[in-house]
Amino acid sequence: MSKDKNFVVQGGVLALASILVRILGLIYRTILVNVLGSTVMGYYASAYDIYSLFLLLSSMSMPIAVSKLVSARLANGEYKNAKKIFHTALGFSCFLGVIFAALLFFGADTISTIIGYKESAYAMRVLAPTLFVMSILGVYRGYFQGMGSMVPTAISQILEQIANCVFSILGGIYLLNVGKELGKPEALGAMGVTVGTLVGAVCALAFFRFIYGLEKTATKKRFLNDKVSRKNRMNHVLGAVIATVVPVLLSTTIYQLCLTFNSTIFANVCSKVLHMEESAYTLIYSVYSNQYKLLTLAPVAIASAMSSAIIPSLVKSLNAGSKRELQMKVNAAIKITTIIAFPCGFGLALLATPILSLLFPDPETIHLSVSLMRFAVLSVVGFSLSTLTNAILQGIDKLKLPVIHVIIALIIHTILVFIMLIPLDYGIKGVVICDIVYAFVIVILNFASIKKYLNYKQEILKPFILPLFASCIMGIIAFGFHKFSYLFLENLIGDKIAELICTLLSVLIAVLVYFLLLFSLNIVDEKELKMLPMGSKIGAIARKFGVM
């Protein structure tokens, strides 16, 4: 299978790394919430939301833009021009990184006051230099993704997260204790957590510098034999980079504004309209960000990985003028995304109580976190599909459309947030409902554009109806098993150990049931299975049990 037709495997490699990264993130966030407390993590979450926005403005669009430009040059054998794109993007990204790092560092006090979380300024200042490191890192990731290899990005993400886990925990605990002596435990505790983000980014960049050195040596011959590339002036190359970066930047930035608006609007309404104490609404926002969003966004990593993998592949098919191939790739990416998103969403919603009781056993927040997690199905499916369809439109050179669609969704979202918080008084549940509406508005608009420009007709049965049906059956069986097994084991081995064992067994049973239904309902066939990492082995197991 050629690299061009193997984008699902590349996406699968990145998805597996993303899953591992999310698991590590879940572990260290759980430790931090339980050790440092929800209020500390609330300040961390508010600072991280602002950092994420600045990261989008400075560099987050670079991997997609560089990947798109590099893959287009390599499709024509223009190795020198691909390298020129890389160097130009690197210089441009460094410039943006310095600007936004300075803005965040020196504007931390003002920003933290505006968003309503004054104690988060300390954390913002540590995150500021991380912006510069990430600006460089984004270009390296885009360069290798443009060459069709997701492995360097996957490894770098794992290294980044391992370092992040270790230093976030150590930094958070150490500075929390220092903060207790200085009378600012929450502020300095949140600041300590952000140290891990910086160290993780530095480790990932060091890895890419090493890999780039190896790649430079390996491709030297191809570079010298390149007779296709034309001599382009630097301003022309920079113009191409900016022309690609800006639309992607706008769509991803506005996409992220949803989270930033949630944090700012929620804090200001709580403080100025509802007259709540800062520590009280920070605790509520921490549950939303560090529990609900943490768990529901984990499956969305699959869609993000598929998005990174599909763009270079779509660019090649677009250059070749093969609309049929474009349609097949879009269909495959959507199908893989939905057959993962549906069961993850149902699992989180139906097993919310045992999962959250194990991960975040704080009696003060457990009821709220469980009530939010009931929305998981809609959240996971909506954000997975919106992420993927944005990437599809970018891959087929419709860069302006995701920007327009996200703006429309954000306007609707912002109006709804005020309605939910003030007249209806839905609180943080209202914010969750608005998030879901936001995601599905983008999905509907994106699908309409994909249909129009690719003459694409979306299959409904296998990507949507059958996975939905299988997930319902899976969820009911797992939920019932947990209820009955817990009643049986509770008096024998105690409630906490029984909860742990029953939850783990319920998750395992859910996976097995969905696996069986996936093949017995013929949702995926053998040909599609071989496109996935370890697909042949999975197929062999399925045939052994007679379900394929």
Side-chain angles (χ1 to χ4, degrees), residues 358 482 485-503:
L358 286 173
H482 181 274
S485 60
Y486 181 74
L487 288 174
F488 177 74
L489 292 176
E490 182 183 11
N491 295 326
L492 293 176
I493 56 178
D495 60 339
K496 290 186 179 180
I497 298 176
E499 188 74 274
L500 175 62
I501 293 173
C502 293
T503 302

Side-chain angles (χ1 to χ4, degrees), residues 92-300:
F92 180 61
S93 197
C94 285
F95 170 75
L96 291 179
V98 170
I99 296 296
F100 283 100
L103 285 173
L104 184 59
F105 185 86
F106 293 108
D109 288 324
T110 303
I111 295 169
S112 62
T113 301
I114 292 171
I115 65 172
Y117 302 89
K118 295 179 182 178
E119 299 297 321
S120 64
Y122 295 89
M124 288 182 195
R125 288 196 177 92
V126 176
L127 289 169
T130 314
L131 288 170
F132 177 73
V133 178
M134 290 298 293
S135 66
I136 301 172
L137 183 59
V139 177
Y140 276 99
R141 283 176 170 161
Y143 176 67
F144 281 95
Q145 288 170 13
M147 292 195 295
S149 177
M150 305 295 145
V151 175
T153 295
I155 296 172
S156 73
Q157 286 180 345
I158 294 170
L159 291 174
E160 180 182 357
Q161 189 69 313
I162 290 172
N164 190 2
C165 290
V166 174
F167 285 92
S168 290
I169 293 169
L170 294 177
I173 293 172
Y174 175 74
L175 286 181
L176 178 69
N177 292 327
V178 172
K180 287 177 181 177
E181 297 176 4
L182 299 175
K184 287 185 174 290
E186 289 88 0
L188 292 187
M191 178 183 176
V193 176
T194 58
V195 171
T197 309
L198 175 58
V199 175
V202 170
C203 290
L205 180 58
F207 169 76
F208 263 109
R209 284 296 303 165
F210 172 73
I211 292 297
Y212 180 73
L214 297 179
E215 181 272 337
K216 198 173 181 181
T217 304
T219 60
K220 189 175 182 180
K221 188 176 180 180
R222 284 193 307 181
F223 188 83
L224 293 173
N225 292 334
D226 177 10
K227 306 297 182 184
V228 182
S229 294
R230 298 177 180 179
K231 289 185 178 181
N232 292 325
R233 292 182 179 180
M234 187 61 69
N235 62 331
H236 291 162
V237 179
L238 181 60
V241 172
I242 294 173
T244 307
V245 165
V246 170
V248 177
L249 173 67
L250 287 173
S251 63
T252 50
T253 301
I254 299 167
Y255 194 77
Q256 175 65 25
L257 278 175
C258 175
L259 281 177
T260 308
F261 276 27
N262 284 345
S263 172
T264 304
I265 295 171
F266 182 72
N268 281 281
V269 168
C270 287
S271 62
K272 295 174 183 177
V273 178
L274 303 179
H275 306 292
M276 292 175 63
E277 293 290 330
E278 184 175 324
S279 58
Y281 65 74
T282 301
L283 177 67
I284 295 171
Y285 188 75
S286 177
V287 173
Y288 163 79
S289 182
N290 293 304
Q291 297 181 31
Y292 167 76
K293 295 298 286 185
L294 176 67
L295 291 173
T296 56
L297 287 179
V300 180

Side-chain angles (χ1 to χ4, degrees), residues 468-483:
L468 175 61
F469 174 74
S471 299
C472 287
I473 300 299
M474 173 211 75
I476 292 168
I477 291 173
F479 179 78
F481 175 83
H482 181 274
K483 283 289 184 184

Side-chain angles (χ1 to χ4, degrees), residues 431-450:
V431 175
V432 170
I433 293 170
C434 293
D435 286 349
I436 293 167
V437 172
Y438 170 79
F440 276 100
V441 169
I442 294 172
V443 171
I444 292 167
L445 294 173
N446 284 353
F447 265 115
S449 295
I450 292 168

